[in-house]
Amino acid sequence: MQVHSKDCILRAVDTSLAIKAIESSFCDYSLGNVQSGAVAHLRFQEPPGDFHLKSAHICRSPYFVVKMAGNFYRNPEYGLTSSNGVMMAFNAHTGHTICVLADDGALTDLRTALAGTIAARLIAPSPIKSLGIVGAGTQAKLHAIWVSRHLGIEHVQIWARNIERAQQLAQDLGESPFSVTVQTDLSSLSRACDLIVTTTPSQKPLITRDMIRPGLRIVAIGADSPGKTEVAKDVMAAADLILTDSTQQCLAYGECAALAPSVQTGTSSIIEIGEVLLGQRVIDLQEHSIAIVDLTGLGAQDAAIAELAIQGLSARR
Amino acid sequence: MQVHSKDCILRAVDTSLAIKAIESSFCDYSLGNVQSGAVAHLRFQEPPGDFHLKSAHICRSPYFVVKMAGNFYRNPEYGLTSSNGVMMAFNAHTGHTICVLADDGALTDLRTALAGTIAARLIAPSPIKSLGIVGAGTQAKLHAIWVSRHLGIEHVQIWARNIERAQQLAQDLGESPFSVTVQTDLSSLSRACDLIVTTTPSQKPLITRDMIRPGLRIVAIGADSPGKTEVAKDVMAAADLILTDSTQQCLAYGECAALAPSVQTGTSSIIEIGEVLLGQRVIDLQEHSIAIVDLTGLGAQDAAIAELAIQGLSARR
């Protein structure tokens, strides 16, 4: 059985093909072409950590994929990364193992950033001047890079709950083709930016009612399991349009979960990204429209990026 | 990341320690010392196959284990085994990967046979002359070997739905220290044997009402998911004692699922093997008592056998 390392995997993934693969996975999901196993969770107390398993098969694919990933919060004390992940690919005709993708979570990081970038393109105003990034972790950095590149953005503003981490991220992004400033106040960032991407594991809303204004555009990627939220219920309710990766999953544990059942059931303004990409639904945003994207992460995205990695690795042999 | 092959793994497992490890896993399960993730299932139509994921952590263990296993029924047409499996072990303090146990399902086969052997010891009459094996697959063979060895049985009778496969198994067991005969009639086997182990994936009962007799003792290991059954409802209801690996799991999809809710709720005669091994419950079988063991397979057993394999592999380095 072959084990591929993170470096080999990342070299084998063509990022322009990757964005197309993630677009296709949104479409396949919305078309019902994806079979997903129940998500399994294990939780650890001492030291504290959590671990989950996702599995998915996209119908036409010769592979199906299992992703095993976790966060153990005290790892940095021992010089280890807190997050970690590995994928395993199987032959969808025989069930036999194909390979281990020992990517240390890098494929998940990439597919998450690409999903956010695809989403951002759908709701960003044009022209767009300034991108606001909420958070200072891996996804904050990746979204600053990918969204700026794909939307031609020249200015990025960063706010994080820990100002020092925001300053560190700004420094890390110093060589980028866009300018970076750190905002000490989230309201100011919200007013100044045409598009905001929220990337934190916050358990209480950061984008609050007082930040509602015409033309507010948010891509919220942090809330991916019960208990997490970055966007206040009032802000969600004020949206003219809500886009999701999976409406079912977002209503269960994304930002949409905060919406009143009455709003949830009259879901004409909640649309899946796959439906838009397929041309089944058209979005028509005015300059003053408020639009929010709720992303919870799909097993289909793991399967799609893993398949692309395997193809790339085979081609390099 | 280290990948261990089936041969290395099997050489590293000390089978006398393995039986103790499986006994402990029954006890840990019944004590509530095991954390198990939801079981995920994927099903494939063309070619037909099914695949499942189990995950478990036994509290005191430094490892947790994910098992990925499947059956693809047309594989023999391509010269491949229909069943296949792989385990992955993770550090329970950091979540980081420890190794891949590429055992091709051999550890699952072993732990299943050992669990059946432990169960057989608890209900077998003494002295015991003849063991009946229902089925002709891997578990039929392993149970013939392990149960005979541990109970000192000198005669084994085999019956299978496909008589040719039963004859083939008898031939394969030709070198064993016990004699083997093939029965063409299951009723005759049932009358002639002191203990019967049923090992098939049957979806309709094989041990039927007409086979009920004083002193009937059955270990049923085939029914491990919804829709499978080897022992008729009437036979289950006639039992003086029912032992389970997990009463909850057996009531959900083992042989116990066929029992009427009234029998299920008055479960004084349904006891977990772990409770018996711990001395929390005492079983007192008379010569005429009917006793049935219902085994559905536990993630804790996968975790226990994987831990033993890892210890053995480390010691050999």
Side-chain angles (χ1 to χ4, degrees):
Chain A
M1 185 187 316
Q2 270 205 292
V3 179
H4 302 288
S5 70
K6 176 178 169 177
D7 288 347
C8 290
I9 293 165
L10 290 180
R11 272 199 301 274
V13 173
D14 176 320
T15 48
S16 62
L17 292 180
I19 207 158
K20 285 197 206 324
I22 300 303
E23 282 174 346
S24 293
S25 73
F26 277 122
C27 297
D28 280 320
Y29 182 83
S30 293
L31 286 167
N33 285 344
V34 181
Q35 183 187 184
S36 308
V39 181
H41 292 275
L42 293 174
R43 292 198 170 77
F44 299 84
Q45 302 304 327
E46 195 51 44
D50 55 63
F51 195 85
H52 70 265
L53 299 172
K54 284 184 178 172
S55 49
H57 178 230
I58 300 173
C59 290
R60 60 175 163 63
S61 172
Y63 313 117
F64 62 92
V65 173
V66 176
K67 181 172 83 175
M68 295 155 270
N71 270 290
F72 280 68
Y73 305 99
R74 287 207 200 127
N75 279 0
E77 294 173 23
Y78 333 125
L80 295 171
T81 56
S82 56
S83 73
N84 182 40
V86 59
M87 294 191 193
M88 205 161 213
F90 296 85
N91 183 314
H93 288 89
T94 66
H96 280 236
T97 320
I98 300 220
C99 64
V100 179
L101 296 167
D103 67 318
D104 297 346
L107 289 175
T108 303
D109 289 343
L110 177 62
R111 65 86 161 153
T112 303
L114 296 180
T117 302
I118 293 163
R121 272 204 306 226
L122 295 178
I123 64 158
S126 177
I128 178 167
K129 280 173 276 177
S130 201
L131 169 67
I133 296 286
V134 175
T138 303
Q139 284 304 321
K141 182 175 181 179
L142 289 176
H143 274 84
I145 295 168
W146 281 97
V147 176
S148 297
R149 184 184 302 166
H150 279 264
L151 275 73
I153 295 171
E154 292 175 0
H155 306 290
V156 173
Q157 301 196 11
I158 300 170
W159 175 90
R161 289 170 296 180
N162 180 331
I163 186 77
E164 287 171 12
R165 292 196 62 208
Q167 284 161 343
Q168 181 60 52
L169 175 57
Q171 202 175 314
D172 294 348
L173 290 169
E175 304 280 298
S176 308
F178 46 82
S179 64
V180 183
T181 53
V182 172
Q183 277 281 8
T184 53
D185 173 49
L186 182 52
S187 295
S188 306
L189 177 138
S190 164
R191 274 193 303 276
C193 293
D194 306 303
L195 174 71
I196 301 165
V197 181
T198 63
T199 67
T200 76
S202 181
Q203 302 204 348
K204 58 182 185 181
L206 303 172
I207 307 293
T208 47
R209 185 177 188 161
D210 54 294
M211 299 179 201
I212 297 175
R213 59 166 174 78
L216 183 66
R217 307 287 163 92
I218 302 169
V219 176
I221 71 151
D224 59 357
S225 61
K228 293 186 189 170
T229 178
E230 299 180 290
V231 182
K233 189 174 165 177
D234 299 323
V235 182
M236 292 300 290
D240 299 295
L241 170 74
I242 295 174
L243 286 181
T244 66
D245 46 10
S246 154
T247 298
Q248 188 190 13
Q249 208 165 278
C250 290
L251 288 173
Y253 54 75
E255 300 295 350
C256 291
L259 292 172
S262 60
V263 179
Q264 294 195 3
T265 50
T267 52
S268 66
S269 64
I270 304 187
I271 299 177
E272 283 185 359
I273 290 170
E275 296 176 285
V276 180
L277 296 175
L278 286 162
Q280 292 176 344
R281 301 286 295 266
V282 175
I283 56 177
D284 179 25
L285 294 172
Q286 307 301 313
E287 196 180 334
H288 61 270
S289 301
I290 296 178
I292 301 174
V293 185
D294 186 6
L295 296 179
T296 47
L298 301 178
Q301 294 164 352
D302 298 323
I305 199 85
E307 184 177 343
L308 190 71
I310 293 167
Q311 287 168 349
L313 288 160
S314 307
R316 285 171 165 253
R317 250 184 236 154
Chain B
M1 184 188 312
Q2 271 206 290
V3 179
H4 301 288
S5 69
K6 176 179 169 178
D7 288 347
C8 290
I9 292 165
L10 289 180
R11 273 199 300 274
V13 173
D14 176 321
T15 48
S16 61
L17 292 180
I19 207 158
K20 287 200 203 326
I22 300 304
E23 282 175 346
S24 293
S25 73
F26 277 122
C27 297
D28 280 321
Y29 182 83
S30 293
L31 286 167
N33 285 344
V34 181
Q35 183 187 184
S36 307
V39 180
H41 292 275
L42 293 175
R43 291 197 172 78
F44 299 84
Q45 302 304 325
E46 194 51 44
D50 55 63
F51 195 85
H52 69 265
L53 300 172
K54 284 184 178 173
S55 50
H57 178 230
I58 300 173
C59 290
R60 61 176 162 62
S61 173
Y63 313 116
F64 61 94
V65 172
V66 176
K67 181 172 81 174
M68 294 155 271
N71 270 290
F72 280 67
Y73 306 99
R74 286 204 204 131
N75 279 1
E77 295 173 23
Y78 332 125
L80 295 171
T81 57
S82 56
S83 73
N84 183 39
V86 58
M87 294 191 192
M88 205 162 210
F90 296 85
N91 183 314
H93 288 88
T94 65
H96 281 237
T97 320
I98 300 220
C99 65
V100 179
L101 296 167
D103 67 318
D104 297 345
L107 289 175
T108 303
D109 289 342
L110 178 61
R111 65 85 160 152
T112 303
L114 295 180
T117 302
I118 293 163
R121 270 203 308 226
L122 296 178
I123 63 158
S126 178
I128 177 168
K129 282 173 275 178
S130 201
L131 168 67
I133 296 285
V134 176
T138 303
Q139 284 304 321
K141 183 176 181 178
L142 290 175
H143 274 84
I145 295 169
W146 281 98
V147 175
S148 297
R149 184 184 302 166
H150 279 264
L151 274 73
I153 295 171
E154 292 177 1
H155 306 289
V156 173
Q157 302 196 10
I158 302 170
W159 175 90
R161 289 169 297 180
N162 181 331
I163 187 77
E164 287 171 14
R165 293 197 60 210
Q167 284 162 340
Q168 181 61 53
L169 175 56
Q171 202 175 317
D172 293 349
L173 289 169
E175 306 279 299
S176 308
F178 47 82
S179 63
V180 184
T181 53
V182 172
Q183 278 281 6
T184 53
D185 174 48
L186 182 52
S187 295
S188 307
L189 177 138
S190 164
R191 273 193 306 274
C193 294
D194 307 303
L195 175 71
I196 301 165
V197 182
T198 63
T199 66
T200 76
S202 181
Q203 302 203 349
K204 57 182 184 179
L206 303 172
I207 308 291
T208 47
R209 186 177 189 165
D210 54 293
M211 300 178 202
I212 297 175
R213 60 166 173 78
L216 183 65
R217 306 287 162 90
I218 302 169
V219 176
I221 71 151
D224 60 356
S225 61
K228 293 187 189 168
T229 179
E230 298 180 291
V231 183
K233 189 174 165 177
D234 300 323
V235 182
M236 292 300 291
D240 299 296
L241 170 73
I242 295 174
L243 287 181
T244 65
D245 48 9
S246 153
T247 299
Q248 188 190 12
Q249 208 165 278
C250 290
L251 289 173
Y253 55 75
E255 300 296 349
C256 291
L259 293 172
S262 61
V263 179
Q264 293 194 2
T265 50
T267 52
S268 67
S269 64
I270 304 186
I271 298 177
E272 285 185 356
I273 290 169
E275 296 177 284
V276 180
L277 295 176
L278 286 162
Q280 292 175 346
R281 301 286 293 267
V282 174
I283 57 176
D284 179 24
L285 293 173
Q286 307 302 313
E287 196 179 334
H288 61 270
S289 301
I290 297 177
I292 301 173
V293 184
D294 186 6
L295 297 180
T296 47
L298 301 178
Q301 295 163 351
D302 298 324
I305 199 83
E307 183 175 343
L308 190 71
I310 293 167
Q311 287 168 348
L313 288 160
S314 307
R316 283 169 166 253
R317 252 184 232 156

